[in-house]
């Protein structure tokens, strides 16, 4: 294949591809439908029964649609509540309603603005405003607005703008007369009924919309029954009798802004008054938007919707869902109350917890301080005992020297001393000996717990019998009777030599402090009490005066002189020290002097 052939083939392939592409694009374009018109929904307030409204407005909308290129309007005839529901659900683009309703809607919904104002045709005259007429009979004597004070007025109904509200506003503004307070109103249902009541003489005053009297009566003749218009106003170009200021007619409202607004406005404004659809509706067309602020002012002053919430949608909803709301708010209240209570009790708990923690910390600190103090006390006790031990031990040496040298002196000077000096020597040696005994006793006392055997489980009876054996000489000498009870003698945890010492001192005292000329009788017993063993050593001796019972356990405290009974006054102090060291208590009971004594001590039960 030549170079030229290859070029031709490539060219014809490219051309066929291009042809196919063009064909595909054409097929694609043909498969799309012609662009649809943008549909807008127009809601019209249904002031007459639905079929009547449909019949009147449908031709107008069809006519408008025929004028529109990009837009198609769909008509919906709706009641006031239906209109509001459609607004809530965003189903409307345009709406046509009466001026008062528009003021009400304007306050509750996002409306874009008024596109045009309806121009009515009344008696072949275009009218885009309305007002109110106050009619009074000749016989009523009413000349001015102020004359209406205290009168009863026939009105078609309170919801009528031209038949009631405009007059009420004017009376308030110009004559400061308030409806229901200064003027009584009687609702008779319609404009025709008001005229009828006046003509028949049933009412002296009545309110009707502007244009009504011209509809009912021949305008070339005076009004019947001497009726006359009170507070008559003159407005250039306005063809009807009127007693109040004028307010704009129905607004055509755009709910949402749309680029098609201009086109729609143009179609409505340019409606031909002579077109048959206009005759059907008895309208002249639409004019550029009027100012509706005067209506807003009127509604505000008279507390009409939306400034009177009684008729608002909110109230309707409240009415409809009252029980749900009541239930909901009760539940909400309960939840709130519960939450509040929970919050409060939580707060209380938190505070209590905090206080508890603080108390715990304070207790911990106090315990720590107590432990530190106990430790310090233990140290100082140890030091004191150490001191007592060292002092009593070391002081004995010089004391023995004094005694020895005094004795030597006494022997050496024996022949040269008179009796009195010998007695002095005797006192000095005796004092030194006595001091030595006391130091020895103190040494004994300080040795308790220091040099004693370690605690272990002991047979208490064995140590009791050991103590009695030590006391054998005294027992024989005094012919004492020691009775050991047949009780169960327990095992206890104690230091062996200290336990023997305890029995020894107490039984020894019971023997020593017996009644003169009477052999001592001692009974030793034991019994179990809560957590302890209670030992008792009872004698029939000299007894102890009740006020001295506590003193006897103090160091060097004696109730008798040495002449009466030998002793150092340390025995019972040692007993107390031993018992306390083992975790028990010691005390004495006595009926008094010559009544005998009973010494008790407790030791913890080792099985507890
Ligand atoms: P001491 O017997 O060496 O004087 P104690 O400390 O043993 O010292 O006794 C202190 C004091 O208690 C005694 O001096 C005595 O007056 C009194 N006492 C002790 N035991 C008895 C007892 N069984 N009956 C009466 N008094 C007693």
């Amino acid at each position: 294949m030549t170079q030229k052939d290859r070029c031709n083939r490539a060219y014809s392939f490219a051309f066929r591809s291009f042809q196919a592409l063009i064909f595909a694009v054409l097929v694609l374009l043909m498969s799309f439908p012609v662009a649809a018109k943008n549909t807008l929904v127009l809601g019209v307030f249904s002031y007459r029964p639905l079929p009547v409204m449909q019949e009147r407005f449908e031709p107008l909308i069809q006519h408008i649609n025929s004028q529109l290129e990009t837009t198609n309007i769909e008509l919906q005839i709706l009641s006031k509540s239906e209109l509001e529901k459609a607004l809530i659900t965003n189903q409307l683009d345009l709406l046509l309603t009466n001026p008062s309703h528009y003021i009400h809607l304007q306050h509750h919904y996002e409306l874009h603005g008024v596109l045009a104002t309806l121009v009515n045709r009344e008696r072949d005259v275009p009218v885009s405003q309305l007002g109110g007429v106050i009619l009074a009979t000749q016989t009523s004597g009413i000349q001015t607005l102020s004359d209406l004070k205290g009168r009863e007025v026939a009105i078609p109904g309170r919801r009528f703008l031209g038949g009631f509200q405009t007059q009420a506003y004017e009376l308030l503004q110009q004559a400061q007369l308030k409806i229901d307070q200064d003027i009584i109103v009687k609702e008779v249902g319609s404009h025709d009924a008001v005229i009828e009541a006046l003509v028949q003489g049933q009412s002296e005053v009545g309110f009707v919309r502007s244009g009504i009297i011209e509809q009912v009566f021949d305008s070339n003749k005076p009004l019947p029954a001497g009726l006359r218009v009170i507070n008559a106003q003159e407005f250039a170009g306005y063809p009807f009798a009127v007693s109040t200021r004028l307010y704009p007619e129905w607004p055509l409202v755009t709910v949402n802004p749309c680029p098609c607004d201009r086109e729609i406005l143009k179609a409505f404004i340019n409606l031909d008054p002579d077109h048959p659809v206009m005759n059907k509706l008895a309208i002249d067309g639409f004019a550029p938007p009027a100012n509706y602020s005067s209506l807003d002012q009127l509604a505000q002053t008279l507390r009409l919707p939306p400034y009177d919430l009684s008729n608002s949608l909110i109230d309707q909803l409240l009415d409809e869902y009252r029980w749900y709301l009541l239930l909901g708010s009760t539940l909400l209240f309960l939840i709130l109350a519960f939450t509040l209570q929970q919050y409060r009790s939580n707060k209380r708990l938190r505070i209590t917890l905090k206080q508890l923690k603080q108390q715990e910390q304070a207790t911990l600190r106090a315990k720590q301080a107590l432990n530190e103090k106990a430790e310090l006390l233990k140290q100082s006790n140890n030091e004191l005992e150490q001191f007592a031990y060292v002092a009593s031990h070391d002081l004995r040496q010089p004391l023995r020297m004094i005694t020895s040298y005094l004795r030597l002196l006494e022997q050496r000077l024996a022949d040269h001393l008179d009796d009195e000096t010998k007695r002095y020597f005797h006192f000095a040696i005796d004092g030194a000996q006595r001091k030595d005994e006391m130091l020895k006793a103190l040494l004994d006392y300080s040795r308790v717990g220091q040099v004693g055997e370690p605690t272990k489980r002991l047979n208490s009876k064995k140590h009791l019998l050991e103590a009695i054996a030590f006391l054998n000489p005294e027992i024989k000498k005094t012919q004492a009777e020691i009775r050991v009870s047949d009780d169960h003698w327990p095992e206890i945890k104690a230091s062996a030599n200290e336990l023997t010492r305890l029995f020894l001192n107490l039984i020894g005292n019971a023997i020593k402090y017996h009644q003169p000329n009477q052999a001592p009788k001692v009974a030793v017993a034991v019994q179990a009490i809560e957590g302890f063993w209670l030992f008792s050593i009872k004698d029939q001796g000299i007894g102890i005066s009740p006020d001295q019972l506590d003193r006897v356990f103090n160091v060097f405290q004696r109730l008798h002189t040495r002449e009466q009974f030998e002793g150092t006054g340390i025995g019972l102090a040692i007993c107390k020290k031993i018992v306390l060291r083992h975790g028990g208590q010691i005390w004495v009971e006595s009926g008094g002097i010559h009544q005998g004594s009973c010494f008790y001590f407790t030791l913890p039960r080792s099985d507890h």
Side-chain angles (χ1 to χ4, degrees), residues 311-485:
N311 289 331
S312 71
L313 184 70
I314 294 168
D315 276 2
Q316 285 174 28
L317 289 173
L318 280 179
D319 214 40
E320 203 169 326
Y321 298 106
R322 186 189 299 139
W323 293 111
Y324 294 106
L325 283 171
L326 202 69
L327 196 73
S329 43
T330 312
L331 273 173
L332 197 72
F333 174 76
L334 285 175
I335 290 168
L336 273 175
F338 180 72
T339 315
L340 197 74
Q341 202 214 348
Q342 283 292 309
Y343 172 75
R344 279 190 185 153
S345 59
N346 275 354
K347 202 172 163 189
R348 271 203 298 273
L349 268 176
R350 274 203 300 277
I351 292 170
T352 317
L353 214 68
K354 203 173 161 189
Q355 284 172 345
L356 274 175
K357 267 188 187 158
Q358 283 171 349
Q359 276 174 12
E360 198 180 81
Q361 278 171 0
T363 316
L364 217 68
R365 277 200 297 275
K367 210 170 151 187
Q368 223 170 346
L370 212 65
N371 282 345
E372 282 168 12
K373 285 220 169 93
E375 191 54 38
L376 279 174
L377 206 66
K378 204 171 156 192
Q379 268 179 26
S380 119
N381 265 351
N382 282 343
E383 281 167 16
L384 209 63
E385 275 177 2
Q386 199 65 24
F387 171 76
Y389 178 80
V390 171
S392 46
H393 182 267
D394 292 1
L395 282 175
R396 285 187 74 197
Q397 178 59 21
L399 201 62
R400 272 201 296 270
M401 276 178 68
I402 293 168
T403 318
S404 307
Y405 281 103
L406 274 174
R407 282 213 176 98
L408 275 176
L409 266 176
E410 191 190 22
Q411 279 171 17
R412 222 175 251 190
L413 299 172
D415 301 336
H416 308 283
L417 297 177
D418 57 20
D419 285 347
E420 199 173 1
T421 317
K422 278 181 183 165
R423 230 178 36 250
Y424 290 165
F425 262 103
H426 173 71
F427 285 145
I429 292 166
D430 189 52
Q433 272 178 340
R434 171 90 188 123
K435 177 78 42 192
D436 188 49
E437 278 167 21
M438 286 174 82
L439 283 173
K440 198 168 156 289
L442 203 60
L443 201 61
D444 273 357
Y445 179 79
S446 60
R447 271 178 175 160
V448 174
Q450 301 278 338
V451 291
E453 292 175 45
T455 56
K456 59 180 178 194
R457 287 174 75 85
L458 303 170
N459 182 333
S460 55
K461 192 167 185 180
K462 182 179 161 236
H463 290 270
L464 168 68
L465 297 176
E466 199 173 273
I468 294 172
F470 277 127
L471 289 166
N472 226 5
E474 280 85 0
I475 293 170
K476 275 198 176 140
K477 194 172 144 197
T478 56
Q479 295 183 329
E481 184 192 320
I482 314 289
R483 204 152 46 81
V484 176
S485 80

Side-chain angles (χ1 to χ4, degrees), residues 509-510 512-513 539 542-544 552 557-560 567-572 597 599:
N509 276 355
K512 182 161 67 170
Y513 296 103
D539 64 47
I542 58 170
I544 302 172
V552 293
Q557 293 296 319
R558 306 198 71 231
L559 306 181
H560 304 92
T568 53
I570 205 85
L572 289 180
S597 315
F599 282 80

Side-chain angles (χ1 to χ4, degrees), residues 7 65-66 80 199 255 310 317-318 371 374 392 496 518 529 555 566 601 603:
C7 260
N65 278 338
S66 68
K80 280 186 180 173
V199 172
V255 179
S310 62
L317 289 173
L318 280 179
N371 282 345
S392 46
Q518 197 179 310
I529 57 168
V555 177
E566 269 296 322
F601 68 89
L603 289 175

